[in-house]
Amino acid sequence: MVLVLALGDLHIPHRAPDLPAKFKSMLVPGKIQHIICTGNLCIKEVHDYLKTLCPDLHITRGEYDEDTRYPETKTLTIGQFKLGLCHGHQVIPWGDLDSLAMLQRQLDVDILVTGHTHQFTAYKHEGGVVINPGSATGAYSSITYDVNPSFVLMDIDGLRVVVYVYELIDGEVKVDKIDFKKTASTHTAH
Amino acid sequence: MYKDTVLPSVLEQVVNCKDELAQFYLMECIIQVFPDEYHLQTLETLLGAYPQLQSTVDIKTILSQLMDRLSNYAASNAEVLPEFLQVEAFTKLSTAIGRVIEAQADIPIVGAISLHVSLLTFTLRVHPDRLDYVDQVLGSCVKKLSGKPKLDNRATKQVVALLSAPLDKYNDIVTALRLSNYPRVMDHLDNQTNKVMAMLIIQSIMKNNTLISTADKVEVLFELIKGLITDLDATTVDEVDEEDFSEEQNSVARLIHMLHNNDPEEMFKIICSVKKHIMRGGPRRLPFTVPSLIFSALRLVRQLQGQDGDVVGEEVPTTPKKIFQLLNEIIEALSSVSSPELALRLYLQCAEAANDCDLEPVAYEFFTEAFVLYEEEIADSKAQVTAIHLIIGTLQRMNVFGVENRDTLTHKATGYSAKLLKKPDQCRAVYACSHLFWVDDQDGIKDGERVLLCLKRALRIANAAQQMANVARGSSGPVTLFVEILNKYIYYFEKGNPQITSATIQGLIELITTEIQGDSTSALPTSDPFFTSTLRYIQFQKQKGGILGEKYESIKV
């Protein structure tokens, strides 16, 4: 069982002062094995905070990030799964599943995690799964109205991944989960 | 009996002995030996004796001890509080302190301030609701501080303790904001300590999640934290540590989100007040503080959206248009302090918001500003790539523009896309522009021909890039760009663009296959994973059947 925290679009301090208190109390150091962050933290303080939660931190560049050295995309392998990470402002039209699917094919990954729209989504399609963890602070978005703070926790176990989404709605944390199973026949490229 | 007999005679003895050491020791004893209730009841008598002591006795310490004991007494037992009121403890102590300070005119300032700290602690414990008392203590301290030279470290520490006490007591900063003498005490701190104090105030607000909800309170707050908002004196620029400065400014940025009122009129006043203050921050501060204010204002715009502004009464209500005007001014200030990339992003945010409010000229104006910045200020090629994608992505979502305006803007966007420095970037930006001519909404534009023109242009650029690679390396470069364009053809094919037929797709597939096999006949089409997964996708769609399946039928992979 490998726990991967996926979050992003915090936009601290431009659009939000901090993570919601209820999220902060849930995110405890030492429980999570990997953190993947879609970007738009935006400042070093947030980077340092995430690093205290888990040293294996992966971040891609959002258009407001103070640190411009984060990569545009990143791929990593966790267990049987190949994950891809990208903020998403580079994929036009923003939030368009078919265009994101193209990125998924290009990165050759099972799970693609992107952000930018501040709207939690999890789509399963031919190539795999596309997940958007939303905005962990519920930051203002020109694309999505009424953003609820949200983040995603993935539990990777063999060929199965359970995606837990945590959303703060009216002051209460609501959890939902989605199951994905990868077919054993992996696509090999020579 | 204590009151009438014991104490007076003891005090008489103490005064008459005229020995400073003995007097000090004995006074301490009296305070520590007898119970606090006694002290309360005999306060006047006790305090009356102090001026009669030798001038060299350290009255401050005795007074402080007395006040601390009484503070603890009050804290331990809420029932005794009425007694304090009954004996007018505060007034008596306050007067006594005044007398002591006056009598010992050459008292080091540290002593005077620590006396006030003790009295303040006492007041906060015993009369927390009497803000006038608290303010009085601060006021008396201000009087003592005026005209004095710079405070030394110890005195400064005491002043910080004095200022922190109300913050800790009243978790709600709004209460502290009502103490009129608070800012006056702060004025006596040196710049560095003033900033430290300002940070403490901000931290108190953030920790307690306090919302500051009126423009008046915002004014007072910004007066308190002015050390962070502007340079208090002209010389400090070089001495500031980068990291400290960032931390301070980021705190101010976070603070702005705590200034809020649900009433739009009051919120607008708050925004105007904040704008006024942060505009005085100078070029180093604006990039930190402006974004927070912009987004705070955009949230207000969204709140007002759809609210029809019926003008009731004489006051013209706050409208999105008014706010956009303000936003324009603020972002303009940013462009003149060399943060063009940030300013461009903010202009685009405002354009989108204006779009949602149906304000075509306003949205167009914001796009124009964004393009000006792109043309004139953004020189770095990587920055240009991101900027043009942001412009394209935003423009793609605009539905407020009429044909003419839209054409002008898309023409500009496509033009700049084709002029990016590196060919691969040009290619990607140009095919991104294809989406400007196809919007999936009901009444969205669906111009199949112009989409195809973009894709063909992207293909030409990809070809040119391929040829350049041939020349440079003697072998063809990666086929990535072609596969990306193929994916875009597939996208529009599925959306039903009549200009894109299965023949078109087949042709492109063959082109790519040829490219891959280009130099070595042993190279298989499967050697490019992206191409492979794209072909697999087509296969998948074919097998799915239905309308899409039919479309794909004639394509051979």
Side-chain angles (χ1 to χ4, degrees), chain A residues 13 45 61 63 106 141-142, chain B residues 254 257 302 345 352 484:
Chain A
E45 276 175 45
R61 191 179 73 92
E63 77 274 35
Q106 191 167 6
S141 160
S142 56
Chain B
R254 292 190 208 218
H257 298 292
R302 194 166 273 177
R345 284 152 176 65
E352 255 191 285
E484 288 176 39

Side-chain angles (χ1 to χ4, degrees), chain B residues 541-553:
Chain B
Q541 295 292 71
K542 281 170 73 137
Q543 285 169 354
K544 224 159 120 179
I547 310 174
L548 276 180
E550 275 177 40
K551 272 184 164 221
Y552 279 107
E553 221 193 299

Side-chain angles (χ1 to χ4, degrees), chain B residues 24-84:
Chain B
F24 182 77
Y25 176 69
L26 287 168
M27 279 306 198
E28 268 197 320
C29 285
I30 294 176
I31 294 174
Q32 285 170 23
V33 160
F34 292 105
D36 297 317
E37 313 96 82
Y38 285 22
H39 294 314
L40 255 189
Q41 292 299 326
T42 57
L43 206 48
E44 191 140 7
T45 321
L46 194 55
L47 294 173
Y50 290 164
Q52 299 176 40
L53 298 175
Q54 299 299 101
S55 58
T56 43
V57 173
D58 184 7
I59 307 280
K60 311 181 306 311
T61 311
I62 298 173
L63 260 177
S64 294
Q65 278 184 7
L66 178 62
M67 284 191 284
D68 290 342
R69 269 195 73 108
L70 291 174
S71 294
N72 289 332
Y73 179 51
S76 65
N77 189 352
E79 287 167 9
V80 306
L81 290 179
E83 218 187 310
F84 279 83

Side-chain angles (χ1 to χ4, degrees), chain B residues 148-160:
Chain B
K148 287 287 180 301
K150 265 193 151 157
L151 300 171
D152 66 8
N153 270 339
R154 285 168 56 218
T156 306
K157 278 211 173 80
Q158 286 298 315
V159 175
V160 172

Side-chain angles (χ1 to χ4, degrees), chain B residues 15 42 71 77 96 106 196 207 213 220-221 267-268 270 312 331 340 343 365 385 439 452 465 474 481 506 516 519 532:
Chain B
V15 171
T42 57
S71 294
N77 189 352
D106 51 348
V196 168
K207 190 179 65 155
S213 58
V220 178
L221 179 60
M267 188 62 208
F268 187 67
I270 290 177
V312 179
I331 305 177
E365 176 65 25
V385 173
V439 175
L452 189 61
L481 289 176
Q506 190 77 61
I516 293 178
D519 351 278
T532 312

Side-chain angles (χ1 to χ4, degrees), chain B residues 438-500:
Chain B
W438 195 280
V439 175
D440 242 352
D441 290 341
Q442 281 181 336
D443 357 298
I445 175 178
K446 287 187 180 67
D447 190 337
E449 269 186 40
R450 289 171 87 176
V451 165
L452 189 61
L453 277 175
C454 274
L455 295 183
K456 281 187 166 170
R457 198 171 179 184
L459 260 180
R460 283 199 297 277
I461 300 173
N463 263 316
Q466 198 70 305
Q467 279 170 18
M468 275 172 69
N470 261 320
V471 169
R473 286 179 290 177
S475 66
S476 46
V479 292
T480 321
L481 289 176
F482 290 119
V483 184
E484 288 176 39
I485 299 171
L486 170 62
N487 273 271
K488 284 297 163 190
Y489 269 87
I490 290 172
Y491 177 94
Y492 290 108
F493 181 60
E494 289 190 5
K495 297 281 180 204
N497 182 343
Q499 303 294 328
I500 296 178

